[in-house]
Amino acid sequence: MRVYGEVAACALALVVVALTLFASFASSNSEGDALYALRRGLSDPENVLQSWDRTLVNPCTWFHITCNQDNRVTRLDLGNSNLVGQLVPDLGKLEHLQYLELYKNDIQGTIPAELGNLKNLISLDLYNNNISGSIPPALGKIKSLVFLRLNNNKLSGRIPRELAEVSGLKVVDVSNNNLCGTIPTTGSFEHIPLNNFENNPRLEGPELLGLASYDTNC
């Protein structure tokens, strides 16, 4: 009976290990698919994405990708890489991502609302691109967000009030866009300097709570 028990325990241990490896494989494969979708959406004249080989299951071996000890993607560093193209909704599947660095490229199109699913994101740096459209209110769901730099783009529309509810947000820079309405002054926006909103010709200035409605010109 003792031998039988030892065999059963070993078998159970093997099953646990197999399930753990399968879960790791599945998550890596899913993240690899999401990153490869981004690659398909970008033109890469300097071949900085050359190592992004879809046949390699684990994207942690790709350049410009950082992973944690569980082989989950935590950083995407592609700033100043001369990339041209658009962001893809698939980025919202990188649920362990903490840093999304895509500044100083020629990225166009809009910011996918799916980025609001990045519940562990600390820094979103998309500045110095050609991104248009509005700032998704869904970004207000990222309660871990500390740095939001969207300056020097072609963004329009209002500044989402949902962002003011992100208590840990320390840096917001949306200067040099085409935003409209008024600047939030509550919550995390209370200590954001006004020069981080400058050069938005349609932006009226700080809102006066209780005295007038905001975003009347949007």
Side-chain angles (χ1 to χ4, degrees), residues 58-121:
N58 191 346
C60 299
T61 61
W62 300 354
F63 290 157
H64 312 290
I65 299 295
T66 302
C67 293
N68 61 18
Q69 61 184 5
D70 297 320
N71 288 328
R72 306 303 295 270
V73 175
T74 57
R75 289 188 68 108
L76 175 57
D77 291 294
L78 287 170
N80 200 23
S81 297
N82 200 28
L83 297 170
V84 182
Q86 298 188 4
L87 303 177
V88 294
D90 305 72
L91 288 172
K93 298 176 182 178
L94 302 173
E95 60 181 31
H96 291 267
L97 193 67
Q98 296 178 347
Y99 296 88
L100 180 54
E101 309 295 326
L102 285 164
Y103 55 87
K104 293 185 179 179
N105 286 292
D106 189 15
I107 295 174
Q108 304 163 13
T110 61
I111 300 174
E114 286 79 3
L115 295 189
N117 296 329
L118 300 176
K119 60 183 179 180
N120 292 299
L121 197 67

Side-chain angles (χ1 to χ4, degrees), residues 174-197:
V174 293
S175 59
N176 297 292
N177 280 287
N178 191 33
L179 299 172
C180 58
T182 54
I183 300 170
T185 56
T186 60
S188 58
F189 278 73
E190 185 177 355
H191 301 294
I192 304 297
L194 288 178
N195 59 0
N196 287 17
F197 303 94

Side-chain angles (χ1 to χ4, degrees), residues 34-35 47 60 70 74 77 89 114 121 125-126 139 148 150-151 155-156 158 188 193 201 204 206 211-212 214 216-217:
L35 291 168
N47 291 321
C60 299
D70 297 320
T74 57
D77 291 294
E114 286 79 3
L121 197 67
D125 284 319
L126 301 176
L139 296 184
L148 178 63
L150 305 175
N151 49 294
L155 294 167
S156 57
R158 62 192 285 271
S188 58
E204 296 178 346
L211 299 179
Y214 57 79
T216 56
N217 70 333

Side-chain angles (χ1 to χ4, degrees), residues 121-170:
L121 197 67
I122 295 171
S123 180
L124 177 58
D125 284 319
L126 301 176
Y127 61 89
N128 284 89
N129 279 287
N130 283 300
I131 300 172
S132 57
S134 60
I135 301 173
L139 296 184
K141 297 192 301 180
I142 311 175
K143 301 307 180 184
S144 58
L145 197 62
V146 179
F147 305 100
L148 178 63
R149 287 175 278 241
L150 305 175
N151 49 294
N152 295 84
N153 278 288
K154 298 179 179 178
L155 294 167
S156 57
R158 62 192 285 271
I159 300 173
R161 267 57 192 173
E162 289 82 354
L163 290 173
E165 300 173 9
V166 181
S167 60
L169 195 57
K170 303 298 183 185

